[in-house]
Amino acid sequence: MKIGICCDHAGVEYKTKLISYLLGKGYEVINFGTDSSDSMDYPDVAHPLAEAVENGEVDLGIAFCGTGNGMAMCLNHHPGIRAGLAWNTEVGKLVKEHNNANVLVMPARFISYNMVTSIVRAWLNTEFAGGRHQRRIDKIPVK
């Protein structure tokens, strides 16, 4: 499985550690940046990640920013993206099980790195439940 990953300046440390973690688990990882703690604009990395998920260049995406909200808002402007913001393991599981999130977003300034790996494991190991949840996802796009 190929995973795209991006962050703004607030998430560089966690992104760097998570890339090593994912590679160690056998995932292929594409880094969309940033790789510096210098202030930058999250849309500059969020849009390329979203496009890679939409066009199948990567299977799933992971993104970090300070609160996670900026990334989630930007990513969810893409019609093929369902970015779920998770701050604990249960939410990480539910954004996949109920919302079939194809991008996981986490708030780098508000969770520990141990929580990051716990959330990522839960999200990657959870299957989408389908059923009533698919009906709800089908209603997301504005007609």
Side-chain angles (χ1 to χ4, degrees), residues 60-82:
L60 297 169
I62 297 173
F64 294 98
C65 71
T67 66
N69 285 301
M71 282 287 186
M73 289 175 187
C74 188
L75 290 159
N76 281 320
H77 270 74
H78 289 258
I81 299 300
R82 288 174 310 284

Side-chain angles (χ1 to χ4, degrees), residues 90-111:
E90 183 66 16
V91 176
K93 177 180 181 271
L94 290 172
V95 298
K96 178 68 87 53
E97 185 178 342
H98 290 187
N99 310 114
N100 202 17
N102 54 7
V103 180
L104 174 65
V105 182
M106 291 172 284
R109 291 190 174 137
F110 295 93
I111 60 176

